[in-house]
Amino acid sequence: MPLRTPLHDSHLAAGAKMVDFAGWDMPIHYGSQIEEHHAVRRDAGMFDVSHMCALDLAGADATRFLRRLLANDVAKLAVPGKALYSCMLNESGGVIDDLIVYFFSPTHYRIVVNAGTAEKDIAWMRAQLVGFTAELTQRREGPAALAMIAVQGPNAREKFWAAFPAARAATQALGVFQAAEWEGWLVARTGYTGEDGFEIALPAAAARPAWQQLLDAGVKPCGLGARDTLRLEAGMNLYGQDMDEGITPYEAGLRWTVDTKDAARDFIGKSALVTRQARNQFQGLLLLDRGVLRAHQKVVTPLGEGETTSGSFSPSLNQSIALARLPQGIAPGSEVDVEIRDKRLKARVVKPVFVRNGNPLI
C-alpha cells in the first residue's frame, strides 16, 4: 500500500486524482494540469512535497563529512540558512542522487533528498559516516516528522505573507537559495519550477491548517503533472530520468555543481570525474513538427545518435520540448531528427532552459 503524506486527506477533499509515485499516494492533478501549470507561471500554486525526505546532520565533523560526501563544496556556505544544490556521487562518478543542503552552522545542516532514493541515500550516507563524529536523523517519520509545501509563482511570496503575515519580517529579506527559521518552520527561497517562491518545512501536525490558509489566500493546489512540465521548461533534472548512477554530472548538464577549486579536497567520485571522458552532452530540443516528445526517443544527428531523457508538451511555449543527451559537437541551433512512432520529426537543439520566471528563453 502506498505511503501517505500528512496532506493526503486535503488532496482527497479537493478532488485530486491520486497516483502512486515512488511508493507514495500523490496528487497528479486537481482537475486540469494545464490550469495548474499556468497558475504557477502567472500567479501562485502550491505543491505537497512531503514525500521528499529531510535529514538533519549534526556533529563536530558535519562540515568535513559533507565536503567528502558531495561534489559541490559546503565550505562556501557561511551565512546561516544559505542553501547549496549538489550531486552525491559514487566512486565511479555516477549520480546517487541530487539534493539540497541548508547550512545552519559548521556543526548543523539540513539535507533534502528525493522521495524514491531516500532509503538508498540514507544507507549510503551512514556507511560513509564511519570515522566521522556526526549523526544523521531522518525527519519524515516519527514525532519529529516534517511536512513540506512548495509555494511557487510570481505572486507566491506575497500570497504566503497574506496567509501568514507574521512571517514577513523573518522571510522578506531572504535571497535566492536562502532559508530562515520562523516559529518552528524552515522557509526557504528555493523551488523546482523556474519561478520564485518558498519551500516550507513545518511540523507534520501543522500541515493541513497551513495548506488551508494558503488556499484561503488564493494559492492554487497543483499536482505532480504540472510540477513535471514546469521543471522541464526550467531545464531542471529529474532523478531516474535525466541522471542516475551510470551518468556523471557532466553528462547531465550539471558541471556547474562540481566544485574542484580546492585541490586538496577529495570528494567521493572526484578521481573518476577527472579521468572519465564525457561521452555526450546535455541539451534541450524544441520539436518543429507536430508530435509530442517523450523520454527515451532516439535522436539522429550528423555526429551519431542521442536520446531524449525527459519530454512533454510545454504549456508555456505551446510546443513540445525535451531534454536530451546528444553527441559532443552538436551545437545549439542545429537541427536533428527525433524518431517518434517510426517517423523522423525535425527538432532544433537549444540550451536546456526553455522558460524562467515566466519568460520564454528560446
Side-chain angles (χ1 to χ4, degrees):
M1 181 177 176
L3 299 168
R4 296 177 175 182
T5 76
L7 288 164
H8 188 266
D9 289 347
S10 298
H11 302 318
L12 296 182
K17 180 180 179 182
M18 308 296 286
V19 298
D20 188 330
F21 178 79
W24 291 79
D25 197 26
M26 298 295 294
I28 190 74
H29 61 71
Y30 297 82
S32 172
Q33 178 178 326
I34 298 291
E35 288 181 8
E36 292 164 23
H37 179 105
H38 287 316
V40 174
R41 285 279 179 254
R42 300 168 183 172
D43 186 18
M46 60 181 173
F47 304 86
D48 178 10
V49 290
S50 306
H51 59 313
M52 299 181 73
C53 187
L55 306 165
D56 283 340
L57 178 73
D61 289 339
T63 297
R64 189 167 70 91
F65 170 67
L66 289 176
R67 295 194 77 204
R68 167 69 178 162
L69 182 76
L70 303 178
N72 214 337
D73 192 355
V74 299
K76 66 182 73 172
L77 301 176
V79 177
K82 189 63 179 171
L84 182 76
Y85 175 71
S86 182
C87 291
M88 181 168 65
L89 308 181
N90 57 27
E91 295 288 359
S92 60
V95 181
I96 293 173
D97 199 9
D98 64 321
L99 50 83
I100 292 180
V101 179
Y102 297 93
F103 169 82
F104 300 131
S105 77
T107 59
H108 184 200
Y109 293 83
R110 167 72 53 79
I111 307 167
V112 180
V113 302
N114 283 303
T117 57
E119 289 187 14
K120 175 186 73 171
D121 290 355
I122 292 170
W124 174 261
M125 290 179 188
R126 286 186 170 148
Q128 308 311 314
L129 261 174
V130 175
F132 291 89
T133 303
E135 184 176 349
L136 190 69
T137 305
Q138 66 84 11
R139 300 292 304 276
R140 196 162 65 175
E141 301 170 0
L146 298 174
M148 288 185 276
I149 301 171
V151 187
Q152 300 279 284
N155 298 324
R157 293 199 301 153
E158 285 297 335
K159 290 196 171 185
F160 171 79
W161 291 323
F164 306 102
R168 184 186 285 265
T171 59
Q172 188 164 19
L174 287 177
V176 175
F177 254 67
Q178 191 172 5
E181 293 185 273
W182 173 74
E183 298 292 327
W185 298 14
L186 184 70
V187 182
R189 198 174 172 191
T190 53
Y192 190 55
T193 63
E195 298 296 328
D196 202 353
F198 290 134
E199 289 185 307
I200 309 146
L202 67 167
R208 289 183 68 184
W211 184 269
Q212 186 60 50
Q213 284 178 256
L214 290 165
L215 274 176
D216 294 343
V219 182
K220 186 176 182 66
C222 302
L224 294 177
R227 186 170 164 84
D228 191 53
T229 52
L230 289 159
R231 71 90 192 168
L232 178 58
E233 288 184 348
M236 295 182 178
N237 291 39
L238 175 63
Y239 190 83
Q241 279 192 206
D242 304 302
M243 56 185 163
D244 55 38
E245 293 192 30
I247 299 296
T248 72
Y250 297 167
E251 296 165 325
L254 296 174
R255 182 178 291 269
W256 61 274
T257 71
V258 179
D259 191 330
T260 56
K261 291 177 183 175
D262 184 350
R265 184 175 76 100
D266 184 22
F267 59 85
I268 298 169
K270 180 179 180 179
S271 59
L273 290 182
V274 171
T275 58
R276 182 170 164 178
Q277 191 73 24
R279 296 165 293 180
N280 43 47
Q281 59 171 322
F282 199 65
Q283 294 286 9
L285 295 179
L286 183 69
L287 191 64
L288 303 177
D289 293 328
R290 290 179 63 85
V292 179
L293 295 173
R294 302 292 187 197
H296 307 304
Q297 292 170 333
K298 183 188 296 184
V299 183
V300 181
T301 85
L303 298 180
E305 293 182 356
E307 184 182 35
T308 59
T309 57
S310 289
S312 185
F313 175 78
S314 162
S316 300
L317 301 177
N318 202 35
Q319 281 183 272
S320 194
I321 62 173
L323 300 175
R325 267 185 277 281
L326 303 177
Q328 298 284 358
I330 301 297
S334 305
E335 285 195 6
V336 297
D337 292 325
V338 183
E339 290 192 358
I340 303 176
R341 294 182 179 177
D342 299 322
K343 293 183 179 180
R344 287 191 177 185
L345 302 184
K346 291 291 183 186
R348 185 168 75 244
V349 179
V350 297
K351 291 182 178 180
V353 181
F354 304 88
V355 181
R356 186 63 56 87
N357 293 322
N359 298 311
L361 300 181
I362 59 172

